[in-house]
Amino acid sequence: MAVSGKCDPKFAKVKEELERSFAERGEVGASVCLSVNGETAVDLWGGMANPETGDPWQEDTISIIFSCTKAAVALCAHILIDRGQLNPGARVAEYWPEFAKNGKEKTTVQMMLNHESALPTLRDPVKPGGYTDWDYMTGRLADEEPFWEPGVRNGYHMISFGWTVGELVRRVSGKSLGTFFREEVAEKTGAKFWIGLPDNEKVHIAPIRQYAPQPGDQPSEFTVKLMTEPDSIQHKSFMNSGGWDFNDRKSQAAEIGGGGGLSNARGQVAWYTELATNSGKLVSADRLANMTMVSTATQRDATLLIPTRFASGFMKSMDNRKGGFGPGTSAILGEKAFGHVGAGGSIGFADPECGLAFSYTMNQMGSGLLLNERCQSLIDAAYTALGYRTNAPGAWVR
């Protein structure tokens, strides 16, 4: 598949790895973009947006980026924290009184950002189309009993993160999550990135193609429980969705902050660049420093069942290659980097240490809980070009 766009010769290996993914790794349609110190060095795209129709992936093609959206939600919360309007140490009840029941009375804002608020999913079935109904989902989460005592452990909040943290954004700002992000981030940075795509937006969307298990795949413990234990957190967090069809236009119009954002690599890099360069356009230097720091880590995430590390709503570098957790359970970034992966292997992140903003998006989902070879190879090529090396714990360092 032909790859179009621009690539600084310094990052030629990034383009080579993208071309290799089309040739050898089953890539269908994808985009990759990176900037260094505010200057775009790579902006590439290629392949097919829809192989069934022959529609090519174009310069401005976008797709669902799944949990990459969570970083946008976390950024909205940090903007409000930076302004003194949201206190991470305060109880959620100060902003969302209806939430304080059934064992959640002491839950704090920080616990929500840390995936510690013990609401990784809902026990009872979500009504058909429930994900497109904000009030219904936030009401259900407010009424739910926590799956563990909030604050004592963390467990990845698969889709619920978008409603728990997103409702705080709505309550504090008086604007819907999607509106707040558009006005405070997208419009200020020129990012083509939506949490809830307006009906009047004329965009080229690549439908997502789900991953089909291949012979020889090594399923993670998460996948095994998802497939075999219907009462497990793993099954419910993934399957109890009310029939969410992420390729449906109504779903794309809904503000599903836990996994429904639409963008491409360029759209993510547009706002990550402001964080990578410490521009002050979105948050202060002090708040940015907080956003790079690990705020919770565990050897066994209650949902993903692997070691995880988070920085107040953002994922940090996670190297689980030597723990026997199987392929696709790592995301190896720089030590100061923060961002978020998306289901199937996409990512967006900023690394203020070297001024790097990076994103990769695609329409063919890959295997694994975090990153597969298609994305990790691009990240590795970018850090190598910047003179980094991997250290023993599995993060890129100078």
Side-chain angles (χ1 to χ4, degrees), residues 46-374:
M48 305 298 294
N50 190 336
E52 281 70 34
T53 63
D55 186 17
W57 188 293
Q58 302 170 16
E59 181 177 1
D60 293 321
T61 298
I62 63 173
S63 62
I64 294 286
I65 56 171
F66 293 114
S67 289
C68 292
T69 318
K70 290 184 178 71
V73 177
L75 175 58
C76 291
H78 282 282
I79 290 171
L80 293 171
I81 292 170
D82 206 27
R83 294 173 180 173
Q85 296 176 266
L86 181 64
N87 178 1
R91 292 184 178 182
V92 171
E94 291 189 23
Y95 310 100
W96 184 0
E98 300 91 332
F99 186 85
K101 67 179 88 167
N102 297 330
K104 307 190 303 299
E105 293 82 355
K106 296 181 180 180
T107 304
T108 66
V109 173
Q110 187 63 53
M111 290 176 195
M112 279 192 169
L113 288 168
N114 284 351
H115 297 264
E116 296 172 351
S117 58
L119 294 176
T121 184
L122 294 168
R123 291 178 174 84
D124 295 331
V126 172
K127 72 176 185 179
Y131 274 19
T132 67
D133 186 337
W134 183 276
D135 290 339
Y136 168 79
M137 291 304 300
T138 54
R140 285 288 307 274
L141 288 162
D143 291 340
E144 186 67 73
E145 293 183 12
F147 282 72
W148 59 85
E149 182 182 344
V152 303
R153 68 180 306 185
N154 73 311
Y156 185 55
H157 286 41
M158 189 76 68
I159 302 295
S160 58
F161 183 93
W163 291 297
T164 54
V165 177
E167 180 67 0
L168 289 175
V169 172
R170 189 187 74 83
R171 296 263 176 157
V172 172
S173 70
K175 302 174 183 179
S176 75
L177 173 64
T179 299
F180 186 88
F181 180 84
R182 185 186 72 247
E183 295 179 354
E184 299 294 341
V185 180
E187 291 178 357
K188 290 182 178 181
T189 62
K192 299 298 183 181
F193 186 117
W194 295 269
I195 306 175
L197 186 67
D199 292 336
N200 61 358
E201 285 287 351
K202 304 300 181 183
V203 292
H204 184 236
I205 303 175
I208 293 293
R209 298 161 58 89
Q210 297 192 58
Y211 177 73
Q214 302 296 310
D217 279 357
Q218 301 176 39
S220 64
E221 185 180 0
F222 172 91
T223 301
V224 171
K225 284 184 174 290
L226 184 157
M227 299 301 294
T228 63
E229 299 183 20
D231 289 331
S232 67
I233 289 175
Q234 292 69 37
H235 180 91
K236 290 182 180 295
S237 67
F238 196 83
M239 302 299 292
N240 186 17
S241 67
W244 179 36
D245 179 359
F246 35 77
N247 286 324
D248 178 70
R249 191 63 180 81
K250 182 178 179 181
S251 290
Q252 294 167 353
E255 297 184 359
I256 304 175
L262 289 109
S263 190
N264 54 25
R266 188 186 313 110
Q268 293 197 77
V269 165
W271 57 269
Y272 271 117
T273 293
E274 304 301 331
L275 304 176
T277 60
N278 195 12
S279 71
K281 183 178 288 187
L282 300 177
V283 292
S284 68
D286 286 345
R287 180 50 28 193
L288 178 63
N290 178 276
M291 291 159 66
T292 71
M293 298 170 58
V294 174
S295 57
T296 187
T298 182
Q299 287 297 310
R300 186 173 173 82
D301 186 289
T303 303
L304 298 180
L305 306 177
I306 60 174
T308 57
R309 302 164 74 238
F310 292 93
S312 295
F314 301 99
M315 282 186 167
K316 295 287 287 180
S317 184
M318 303 181 199
D319 184 3
N320 295 322
R321 292 173 296 178
K322 296 181 179 180
F325 299 101
T329 55
S330 298
I332 304 167
L333 315 175
E335 289 186 318
K336 295 295 185 181
F338 63 98
H340 218 288
V341 306
S346 57
I347 199 170
F349 69 87
D351 190 336
E353 182 178 71
C354 56
L356 173 66
F358 181 99
S359 178
Y360 157 81
T361 69
M362 77 292 154
N363 60 352
Q364 175 59 64
M365 297 177 71
S367 62
L369 294 176
L370 299 180
L371 298 184
N372 54 60
E373 189 178 15
R374 289 179 299 166

Side-chain angles (χ1 to χ4, degrees), residues 376-395:
Q376 189 64 60
S377 67
L378 299 170
I379 295 171
D380 294 350
Y383 274 113
T384 299
L386 290 169
Y388 276 62
R389 58 182 176 81
T390 52
N391 64 3

